[in-house]
Amino acid sequence: MGNRTSRRDRNNKTTVNAGHSLDYRSSDFVDERGAVVPPPPPFTATGGTEYTPGNGYKYHKFTSNGNFVVTTVEGDCDILVVAGGGSGGNYYGGGGGAGGVAYGVDVPMPVATHPVVVGAGGAAVDATGIGLVGNNTTVGAPGVSIGGQPDYIVAKGGGYGGRGTTTGGGAGGSGGGDGGGNSPPYGGLATQPGTNPSPVITDYGFPGGWSYPSGGYAPAGGGGAGAQGVNITGNIPGAGNGGVGVAIPGFEYPLVGMSPYSPLSPSNNHYGGGGGAGMYGSPVAPDRTGTGGYGGGGSDDGNPGTNYLGGGGGGKHPPGSSSGKGGDGIVIVRYLA
């Protein structure tokens, strides 16, 4: 990461980089004629809130729209892109799906202004509504190649939590959980996998849980970036837990000025937790307690997903107050300082 890698010439005494060579005997950069030239400039960039936490990297954190501006030479960056989570459903409400997560390693970033759009979580819903999908988060300009793919980097908003016995969970980056009893298909589909075809970017998103009792019973958990929401397999009480998010080492919350979120993540680096469903009857440990998944998933009784982690919102049952809002997304870029 940082500046692009160089190569050594055949006599193993100089390193060639962008038409220049580093002479190890003198530590000077020389051109192909042997003349001493200034060394290439370091990789530099601006944008977002900047952090240099002392671990060898510089970080740029975006919690709202902005621009990541590469100002000197092309360099390789690690990029975390998290979409907004979907909100939970109300009345036998399923958990909201987490925002999709796209994580790139050694992504080549050319000298340019790269727009950043951070997706908000889906809004809470009242009465007997289904949830609302989260919004996409993107890095780069539409139609402009980035990271070895023909278009910008996209993380897709989380799917909505279903409601009652009529509405299943919605599709999204991670899918929303079904309400308390629905016909097939089961659970909201995960649409994040395969979104970014770059060889250096990995997509994370799992389906919502399904709930298929013969009537209104326990609803299912929302999908997380790291696992499916918990399924409900019959006329049983409780509320399905949300799927866990994905842990991204090197992107621990305190490195970019966010407070430790344990127990929302035991390692302080999970993103995209699915929302827990709304509780019908009594909780049943360990997987039907309506708990949000690691990575900011909102829990039972309409608790919101955590902002900047893209967590799905918690479902609600019975109605009487709002379901849980989805957590807003985030973009974090880092490179060697």
Side-chain angles (χ1 to χ4, degrees), residues 144-288:
V144 177
S145 178
I146 189 172
Q149 61 185 18
D151 212 340
Y152 56 2
I153 301 171
V154 180
K156 293 183 176 179
Y160 58 76
R163 63 163 290 273
T165 61
T166 60
T167 309
S174 292
D178 281 354
N182 294 282
S183 299
Y186 304 124
L189 299 177
T191 59
Q192 185 63 41
T195 296
N196 297 288
S198 168
V200 295
I201 297 172
T202 303
D203 293 311
Y204 297 94
F206 281 80
W210 52 265
S211 175
Y212 195 41
S214 60
Y217 284 88
Q228 183 177 1
V230 170
N231 299 322
I232 304 299
T233 56
N235 295 356
I236 54 180
N241 296 349
V244 298
V246 59
I248 307 293
F251 286 77
E252 286 71 27
Y253 315 139
L255 293 175
V256 290
M258 298 193 294
S259 298
Y261 283 139
S262 182
L264 298 183
S265 169
S267 51
N268 273 310
N269 60 6
H270 283 79
Y271 294 84
M279 187 69 62
Y280 168 82
S282 300
V284 180
D287 60 353
R288 300 204 307 274

Side-chain angles (χ1 to χ4, degrees), residues 280-314:
Y280 168 82
S282 300
V284 180
D287 60 353
R288 300 204 307 274
T289 60
T291 302
Y294 289 148
S299 58
D300 160 57
D301 203 30
N303 285 288
T306 301
N307 285 337
Y308 317 137
L309 302 185

Side-chain angles (χ1 to χ4, degrees), residues 85-108:
S87 59
N90 208 330
Y91 180 65
Y92 297 99
V101 174
Y103 175 49
V105 178
D106 288 344
V107 179

